[in-house]
Amino acid sequence: MINLPPYPNETPSDWKGLTLQQIQMRRTLVQARMEIQKFKMSSQIDRYRRRSPVFGTPDSLFSRLTGALTLAEYGFIAIKAFRFISPLFKGRK
């Protein structure tokens, strides 16, 4: 049996290493696990996009707004909003 992680067995002192077939099997196993994870991630992303039509589709309002404005424009809008809102709270004591 191949000693896969987390390596529960101690390696004997006369251990000569892995054979070429064992190395190939480990590599194939790792590649198969990677492909499975890629598939799981893509299916989860698709599921989230189907659940949230506001954020997921390229035609949504949110994606149009975020694509149209740059980071500097967001900062400018935030400063303008802060200057507009802050005098409203100063008069209330």
Side-chain angles (χ1 to χ4, degrees):
M1 169 119 203
I2 298 174
N3 189 14
L4 295 175
Y7 305 108
N9 302 330
E10 292 294 323
T11 55
S13 59
D14 61 343
W15 189 69
K16 295 189 177 22
L18 298 174
T19 64
L20 183 59
Q21 184 180 11
Q22 289 172 332
I23 293 171
Q24 289 172 343
M25 288 299 292
R26 281 189 180 198
R27 185 174 183 179
T28 304
L29 180 65
V30 168
Q31 288 175 343
R33 286 181 181 165
M34 287 171 48
E35 289 298 320
I36 291 169
Q37 289 302 318
K38 284 181 192 177
F39 178 75
K40 284 181 181 179
M41 285 175 48
S42 66
S43 65
Q44 284 178 347
I45 290 171
D46 290 340
R47 193 172 346 123
Y48 290 136
R49 283 184 180 161
R50 276 186 264 127
R51 272 194 215 161
S52 174
V54 176
F55 300 109
T57 61
D59 298 333
S60 68
L61 178 65
F62 182 75
S63 64
R64 286 182 186 173
L65 278 174
T66 56
L69 300 175
T70 64
L71 191 59
E73 290 170 332
Y74 283 122
F76 181 74
I77 292 170
I79 290 170
K80 287 287 188 180
F82 180 74
R83 286 183 183 169
F84 178 74
I85 293 174
S86 62
L88 298 176
F89 293 108
K90 288 183 181 177
R92 296 182 181 185
K93 285 191 178 185

